[in-house]
């Protein structure tokens, strides 16, 4: 395991994110794109009752996106988000790559590591939902997941609603009382003209490691092609869900090594 240097981690610590380039070949990314389209169109042969699926909004407003719940919501490329992709063999194989295990071990050490969520994020062509600034922090967990591995499946640009990041904001949770780490509108407005704020443009297949607390959000898609991404948030497998009083993970992605 030697994909990352001390300098890489120093840069991650400073910025709250690290670009690591393309990890898989173009054929793998093309195949993941075809796979997620098959999942959206209901022809993937998976147990859809296990997938959390949410339709995109019709007007770009976050609050009017569809309900996030288990099960298929119709054959359409108009999904905003699909979770539980760790149960799909193709996505599972990609997120299990040794480079991702090495990154996870940097944060968690030699313990069992699970996916808190393995999620498709989509800005459908000429649509998409505005995602307000937030930190990936969940009040209902007894400890915070620290790392998200974000892979662009399509090129991500300002026009098609790429993520915006605010580097250096990963040291504190700004709004701990919000269940999902969203900033209040007043807090978000405070970052409107922040000189650190930038659009994270990516090539298809490019991967970024993100500290979960790095403030981020994304816009709508003003192009005629989708902007698809795969985002995997990793956690200590012993993380408890305080809401359900059970382990938050259903399975282990990386076992502790002997
Ligand atoms: O892809 C996006 O627009 C946002 C993704 C995101 O918020 C995440 O991966 O945590």
């Amino acid at each position: 395991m030697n994909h990352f240097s001390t300098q890489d981690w120093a840069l991650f610590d400073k910025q709250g994110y690290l670009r690591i380039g393309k990890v898989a070949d173009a054929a793998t990314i093309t195949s993941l794109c075809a796979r997620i389209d098959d999942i959206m169109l209901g022809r993937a042969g998976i147990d859809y009752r296990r997938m959390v699926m949410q339709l995109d909004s019709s007007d770009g407003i976050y609050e009017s996106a569809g309900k996030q719940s288990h099960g298929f919501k119709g054959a359409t490329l108009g999904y905003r988000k699909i979770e539980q992709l760790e149960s799909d063999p193709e996505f599972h194989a990609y997120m299990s790559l040794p480079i991702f295990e090495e990154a996870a071990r940097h944060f968690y050490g030699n313990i069992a590591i699970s996916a808190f969520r393995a999620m498709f994020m989509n800005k459908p062509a000429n649509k998409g939902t505005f995602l307000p600034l937030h930190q990936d922090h969940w009040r209902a967990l007894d400890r915070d997941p620290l790392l998200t591995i974000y892979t662009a499946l399509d090129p991500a640009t300002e026009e098609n609603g790429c993520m915006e990041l605010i580097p250096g904001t990963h040291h504190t949770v700004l709004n701990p009382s919000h269940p999902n780490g969203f900033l209040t509108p007043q807090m978000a407005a405070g970052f409107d003209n922040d000189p650190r704020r930038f659009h994270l443009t990516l090539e298809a297949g490019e991967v970024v490691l993100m500290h979960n607390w790095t403030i981020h959000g994304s816009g709508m898609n003003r192009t005629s092609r989708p902007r698809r991404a795969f985002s995997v948030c990793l956690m200590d497998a012993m993380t408890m869900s305080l809401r359900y009083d059970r382990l938050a993970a259903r399975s282990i992605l990386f076992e502790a090594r002997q």
Side-chain angles (χ1 to χ4, degrees):
M1 290 208 209
N2 53 5
H3 297 97
F4 301 105
S5 64
T6 311
Q7 289 83 349
D8 288 334
W9 291 123
L11 189 57
F12 181 98
D13 288 343
K14 181 164 176 257
Q15 307 182 134
Y17 76 95
L18 183 71
R19 301 179 85 114
I20 66 169
K22 295 181 186 178
V23 162
D25 58 20
T28 302
I29 298 299
T30 304
S31 178
L32 290 174
C33 285
R35 183 72 184 156
I36 199 66
D37 283 359
D38 279 348
I39 291 174
M40 287 192 276
L41 294 174
R43 55 190 190 203
I46 52 170
D47 184 355
Y48 282 91
R49 291 168 303 182
R50 296 181 64 176
M51 318 298 285
V52 173
M53 303 181 77
Q54 180 190 35
L55 291 170
D56 196 27
S57 64
S58 54
D59 55 8
I61 296 171
Y62 183 76
E63 288 72 22
S64 51
K67 189 170 172 222
Q68 286 185 53
S69 57
H70 284 95
F72 193 57
K73 315 261 177 322
T76 168
L77 297 178
Y79 282 93
R80 171 176 181 266
K81 181 158 135 174
I82 299 177
E83 291 188 29
Q84 314 286 343
L85 284 172
E86 64 271 37
S87 60
D88 177 72
E90 226 177 292
F91 280 95
H92 187 273
Y94 177 75
M95 61 197 264
S96 308
L97 289 173
I99 187 171
F100 298 144
E101 178 170 3
E102 181 181 339
R105 298 238 172 265
H106 175 79
F107 292 88
Y108 300 113
N110 187 20
I111 59 169
I113 296 165
S114 297
F116 173 62
R117 62 181 187 188
M119 164 177 89
F120 169 60
M121 277 300 285
N122 188 26
K123 306 279 180 181
N126 297 307
K127 286 188 73 198
T129 299
F130 175 75
L131 177 59
L133 289 182
H134 64 282
Q135 296 170 296
D136 287 341
H137 164 77
W138 295 278
R139 207 181 52 196
L141 297 180
D142 74 341
R143 67 203 84 176
D144 264 327
L146 300 173
L147 172 67
T148 285
I149 299 168
Y150 187 88
T151 304
L153 298 177
D154 296 302
T157 65
E158 189 172 340
E159 292 69 40
N160 71 13
C162 71
M163 270 201 288
E164 280 189 83
L165 298 190
I166 308 180
T169 50
H170 54 295
H171 302 292
T172 345
V173 175
L174 291 184
N175 191 12
S177 58
H178 190 280
N180 311 321
F182 276 58
L183 273 55
T184 63
Q186 292 77 7
M187 285 172 180
F191 290 101
D192 277 352
N193 299 312
D194 191 303
R196 297 170 297 176
R197 184 171 181 159
F198 76 103
H199 286 95
L200 181 69
T201 58
L202 297 168
E203 291 178 27
E206 228 186 309
V207 179
V208 176
L209 306 183
M210 283 176 56
H211 189 292
N212 271 24
W213 295 354
T214 301
I215 297 176
H216 59 288
S218 56
M220 293 169 64
N221 185 353
R222 300 189 302 274
T223 74
S224 55
R225 298 169 67 106
R227 193 233 72 183
R228 295 165 290 183
F230 181 45
S231 178
V232 179
C233 173
L234 297 177
M235 65 179 175
D236 173 345
M238 290 296 111
T239 304
M240 290 292 292
S241 162
L242 302 172
R243 185 181 308 154
Y244 301 113
D245 193 26
R246 61 160 169 74
L247 287 174
R250 285 172 196 77
S251 59
I252 290 175
L253 183 65
F254 301 122
E255 294 283 358
R257 290 173 177 261
Q258 296 302 315

